Amino acid sequence: MTMTNTDLTRKLNFNAGPAALPAEVLQQAAAAVLDYDNSGLSILEIPHRDAAFVAIMDESRQLVKELCNLNDDYEVLWLQGGGRMQFCMIPMNFLGESENAGYIDSGYWAESAYKAAKYYGNAQLLASTKDINYTHLPMWPAQLPAGLQYVHCTTNNTIYGTQLHTTPTCDVPLIADMSSDIFSCHRDYSKYAMFYVTVQKNLGAAGVTLVVLRKDLMERVKRTMPDMLTYKAHSAQQSMLNTPPVFAIYVSLLMLRWTKARGINAIEAENIQKAQLLYSEIERNSVFKPVVDVVADRSMMNVCFIAHDSSNEKAFIDFCATRNITGIKGHRSVGGFRVSLYNAVSLTAVETLAQAMHDFEKNRQ
Ligand SMILES: *Cc1c(COP(=O)(O)O)cnc(C)c1O
């Protein structure tokens, strides 16, 4: 069986995460489950110390550095526990009990990272837009307080549909959660001391978290902890301190190869087209309105909008279902709709959605 992105049996998937994957990646993953690389074994049956898996790890680390244009000052780790575990490991490793760290609160995930850090040291909020339900990005302080060990931010706010389109200047180590917009656009990764990605949005299947950090940061461990909680220990064991999630890492490798083959230039250009198409239909259409008013803060990955008349919300979701469109319901804290336009979502899929919005409006008149 072959499967393509235009396969009519496949739904147009706009879910926020786990999310759409390219048809060719699904196909390669499916084939590897049956027989990995003509080995007579499934990818699910290969010991993680085998040469076959060590090669998967090596290639994946190398591709991350290449796509991020980073040198050997950086370490690439594949860890478990999701984005949420990183919220804990960052302060455990880098924030001493009486030390300070700064957090930019741009949404639910950013705030969760801040709350986790408070258990370990003096985490300070540098800016927040919580009081306006995160409808635009917070302003970074013109000057950072003295003595911060690091500043933590979130580049794309998956729930609220806002995205940081520039890299802030920061004279202390900058740590970013890039879970929902990694490789969606050009970015100077060398400006970040560390970034991490729970992969089920834009880089694979749930079960693994990509962590990239500067080796000198990794050395600044502030407390003695079990190895499982210490970046340095994971690094010393090449992310094989415990049995790594072999299959999830393999799917991420397939995504990395797919990303490299398309090129970040082409991916970014198409992401801009997809986002412009959808935002302009929302603006034009009399049924809908955008949630994020500040155009410069709008996310290219998660597009949030509502219906002027909320009784149209369920009706539009039902209408979309008849056109094979799924995953557009907004997060409960925002309501309305959230359409995720991750790298694997095609322009054709977005065109189909925009057409459905257009036809829905027409039917109401
Ligand atoms: C989904 C998401 C998370 C949470 O990831 P888990 O793997 O569920 O812990 C964290 N940060 C961002 C930006 C996300 O989109």
Side-chain angles (χ1 to χ4, degrees):
M1 185 195 83
T2 48
M3 184 167 68
T4 67
N5 276 332
T6 50
D7 187 339
L8 291 180
T9 62
R10 246 172 90 64
K11 288 198 172 145
L12 302 176
N13 181 3
F14 296 104
N15 273 303
L21 289 169
E24 54 264 50
V25 165
L26 294 176
Q27 218 152 14
Q28 289 161 356
V33 167
L34 296 178
D35 183 5
Y36 179 65
D37 207 15
N38 296 317
S39 63
L41 294 172
S42 163
I43 183 85
L44 306 178
E45 302 175 305
I46 293 176
H48 59 292
R49 307 274 177 204
D50 262 22
F53 185 66
V54 172
I56 289 171
M57 280 296 234
D58 286 346
E59 185 186 345
S60 69
R61 275 192 290 259
Q62 202 276 329
L63 275 176
V64 168
K65 279 196 195 170
E66 188 181 326
L67 288 165
C68 296
N69 203 13
L70 293 173
N71 60 22
D72 290 339
D73 293 346
Y74 283 81
E75 176 66 302
V76 177
L77 302 173
W78 295 101
L79 304 181
Q80 293 171 70
R84 287 230 179 235
M85 188 63 173
Q86 292 313 303
F87 300 167
C88 308
M89 278 179 74
I90 291 163
M92 283 175 176
N93 280 262
F94 307 131
L95 181 59
E97 217 175 319
S98 53
E99 291 179 337
N100 302 301
Y103 279 75
I104 305 287
D105 176 19
S106 55
Y108 173 79
W109 297 118
E111 190 197 29
S112 301
Y114 161 69
K115 284 182 178 165
K118 290 208 293 185
Y119 286 95
Y120 301 100
N122 182 24
Q124 298 172 227
L125 273 186
L126 301 179
S128 173
T129 41
K130 186 176 183 173
D131 58 336
I132 52 164
N133 203 30
Y134 303 112
T135 45
H136 61 74
L137 292 175
M139 280 275 277
W140 282 57
Q143 188 151 18
L144 294 178
L148 300 180
Q149 297 303 306
Y150 61 84
V151 169
H152 180 279
C153 68
T154 309
T155 52
N156 184 70
N157 301 290
T158 323
I159 294 175
Y160 305 90
T162 58
Q163 186 177 15
L164 200 56
H165 296 289
T166 54
T167 305
T169 38
C170 183
D171 52 11
V172 300
L174 182 58
I175 299 181
D177 178 352
M178 298 190 184
S179 293
S180 52
D181 70 350
I182 188 79
F183 302 140
S184 65
C185 57
H186 275 285
R187 182 170 277 149
D188 185 350
Y189 291 93
S190 70
K191 295 253 167 71
Y192 296 86
M194 168 173 166
F195 54 93
Y196 59 96
V197 179
T198 186
V199 304
Q200 68 271 19
K201 279 64 187 256
N202 223 355
L203 197 62
V208 73
T209 308
L210 168 66
V211 174
V212 182
L213 76 172
R214 252 178 23 214
K215 289 174 180 165
D216 66 297
L217 181 68
M218 201 162 72
E219 295 298 322
R220 298 187 206 170
V221 194
K222 298 296 166 61
R223 41 178 74 71
T224 312
M225 291 180 296
D227 283 354
M228 275 303 283
L229 300 171
T230 313
Y231 294 111
K232 226 180 125 168
H234 283 288
S235 166
Q237 299 296 321
Q238 282 91 44
S239 306
M240 295 210 250
L241 189 53
N242 69 320
T243 310
V246 170
F247 184 62
I249 292 172
Y250 180 63
V251 177
S252 280
L253 172 61
L254 295 176
M255 280 303 290
L256 290 164
R257 286 181 186 156
W258 179 86
T259 303
K260 185 185 166 179
R262 282 187 76 197
I264 292 187
N265 274 334
I267 290 175
E268 179 175 37
E270 192 175 278
N271 284 341
I272 292 171
Q273 260 187 301
K274 282 152 51 183
Q276 278 177 351
L277 173 65
L278 186 53
Y279 282 115
S280 56
E281 178 57 26
I282 296 165
E283 300 274 9
R284 187 210 61 75
N285 197 305
S286 60
V287 176
F288 305 107
K289 65 174 178 196
V291 168
V292 179
D293 288 330
V294 181
V295 174
D297 289 353
R298 285 181 184 166
S299 171
M300 295 204 301
M301 293 283 96
N302 311 97
V303 177
C304 294
F305 56 105
I306 54 177
H308 290 282
D309 171 357
S310 62
S311 73
N312 277 327
E313 291 182 350
K314 189 182 175 306
F316 182 61
I317 288 172
D318 292 344
F319 182 75
C320 281
T322 68
R323 300 201 173 185
N324 223 16
I325 293 167
T326 192
I328 63 166
K329 195 173 176 1
H331 189 273
R332 61 192 176 280
S333 59
V334 178
F337 311 97
R338 169 176 52 173
V339 171
S340 297
L341 304 179
Y342 299 128
N343 294 350
V345 173
S346 68
L347 180 60
T348 323
V350 186
E351 284 165 353
T352 306
L353 174 63
Q355 186 64 47
M357 293 165 76
H358 186 274
D359 295 346
F360 182 82
E361 178 192 35
K362 225 166 159 195
N363 291 351
R364 307 274 116 181
Q365 283 161 357

